[in-house]
C-alpha cells in the first residue's frame, strides 16, 4: 500500500499514538506526521465542507491524545510536586536550565503558558507538571491545554493541506523507492537520537554531574 493511502486510512490512529507518545515524553516527530496526514486528507475540491471533516477528526484525535497524556503529568505534579518536574527535566538536555526557564515563563504567564508551550520544544512537557505542582485548578488546566493542543495541531494540519500537492509528490517518490527509503529514514532517526544522548552525556560531564540515568 502506498504511503499516502496508508496514512489516509490510518491517519486518526497514527495522529493519536504520535501525539500521545510525544506528550508522554517519547522522542517521536509529531509535526511531520500532522503535516503528512493533513496533506493526505486534503483531497476534496476547495470550498467543499466535506474537505474539513477528515481534518476535524484528525484534530480531535490530536487534542484527545494530548490532553490525556498531559493529565498524567498534571496529576503527577499535583501529587509529587517538584519530584515530577525533576523527572520530566531529566528528559531534556539541561536539567537545571529546564527548571529555571520553565519557572520563569510560568511566573510571567501562569496557566496561559499552555496555549503556546507546544510551539517551544520541550516547554510543554515541563509546563504541564508545573501547573499541577503550582495548584492550577483542573478545569482551568484542561481548558487551556485543549486550546494549546488544538492550536498547535491545527498549524500542522493546515500546513499539510496547503502543500498537499508537493507532499503527495514526496510520498509518491518514497513509495517508488520502497523499503530502502524507510531504512534510510530509520537510520537518520537513530543517528539523531544517538547524537542527542551523546550531547546530554557530554554536557553532564562538563557540568561535573553524572549522566542522567546513572544516579
Amino acid at each position: 500500500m502506498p504511503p499516502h493511502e496508508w496514512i489516509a486510512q490510518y491517519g486518526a490512529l497514527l495522529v493519536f499514538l504520535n501525539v500521545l507518545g510525544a506528550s508522554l515524553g517519547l522522542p517521536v516527530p509529531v509535526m511531520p506526521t500532522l503535516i503528512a496526514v493533513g496533506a493526505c486528507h486534503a483531497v476534496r475540491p476547495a470550498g467543499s465542507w466535506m474537505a474539513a471533516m477528515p481534518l476535524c477528526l484528525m484534530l480531535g484525535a490530536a487534542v484527545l491524545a494530548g490532553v490525556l497524556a498531559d493529565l498524567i503529568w498534571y496529576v503527577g505534579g499535583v501529587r509529587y510536586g517538584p519530584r515530577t518536574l525533576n523527572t520530566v527535566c531529566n528528559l531534556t538536555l539541561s536539567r537545571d536550565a529546564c527548571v529555571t526557564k520553565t519557572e520563569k515563563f510560568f511566573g510571567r504567564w501562569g496557566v496561559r503558558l499552555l496555549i503556546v508551550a507546544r510551539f517551544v520544544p520541550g516547554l510543554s512537557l515541563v509546563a504541564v507538571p508545573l501547573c499541577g505542582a503550582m495548584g492550577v485548578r483542573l478545569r482551568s488546566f484542561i481548558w487551556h491545554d485543549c486550546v494549546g493542543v488544538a492550536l498547535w495541531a491545527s498549524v500542522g494540519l493546515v500546513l499539510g493541506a496547503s502543500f498537499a500537492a508537493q507532499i503527495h509528490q514526496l510520498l509518491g517518490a518514497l513509495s517508488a523507492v520502497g523499503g530502502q527509503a524507510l531504512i534510510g529514514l530509520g537510520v537518520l532517526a537513530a543517528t539523531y537520537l544517538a547524537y542527542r544522548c551523546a550531547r546530554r552525556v557530554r554536557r553532564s560531564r562538563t557540568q561535573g554531574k553524572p549522566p542522567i540515568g546513572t544516579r
Side-chain angles (χ1 to χ4, degrees), residues 131-146:
C131 285
M134 297 299 291
V136 174
R137 291 184 179 182
L138 179 60
R139 179 182 300 179
S140 179
F141 168 80
I142 292 177
W143 164 248
H144 286 86
D145 198 41
C146 283

Side-chain angles (χ1 to χ4, degrees), residues 132-204:
M134 297 299 291
V136 174
R137 291 184 179 182
L138 179 60
R139 179 182 300 179
S140 179
F141 168 80
I142 292 177
W143 164 248
H144 286 86
D145 198 41
C146 283
V147 173
V149 176
L151 181 62
W152 165 75
S154 296
V155 171
L157 293 172
V158 170
L159 281 174
S162 300
F163 297 95
Q166 294 84 348
I167 295 172
H168 272 283
Q169 292 177 358
L170 175 61
L171 293 176
L174 291 176
S175 179
V177 175
Q180 295 180 354
L182 296 179
I183 294 175
L185 291 175
V187 171
L188 288 176
T191 303
Y192 173 71
L193 292 178
Y195 165 76
R196 289 195 61 178
C197 291
R199 185 180 176 187
R200 180 184 301 176
V201 171
R202 185 166 59 250
R203 181 170 296 185
S204 298

Side-chain angles (χ1 to χ4, degrees), residues 51-68:
M53 292 183 61
L55 296 180
C56 289
L57 177 61
M58 301 305 112
L59 180 61
V63 172
L64 178 61
V67 174
L68 284 177

Side-chain angles (χ1 to χ4, degrees), residues 17-102:
L17 294 178
N18 223 215
V19 175
L20 183 69
S23 299
L24 289 174
L26 298 179
V28 293
V30 184
M31 190 55 68
T33 299
L34 292 171
I35 293 174
V37 169
C40 290
H41 284 280
V43 294
R44 298 185 180 275
S48 173
W49 66 272
M50 291 291 292
M53 292 183 61
L55 296 180
C56 289
L57 177 61
M58 301 305 112
L59 180 61
V63 172
L64 178 61
V67 174
L68 284 177
D70 287 350
L71 278 173
I72 296 176
W73 288 118
Y74 171 83
V75 172
V78 172
R79 295 190 62 180
Y80 302 108
R83 290 173 54 189
T84 303
L85 184 60
N86 289 331
T87 298
V88 174
C89 282
N90 283 342
L91 301 174
T92 67
L93 292 176
S94 177
R95 175 179 174 178
D96 295 336
C98 165
V99 175
T100 302
K101 182 176 69 173
T102 307

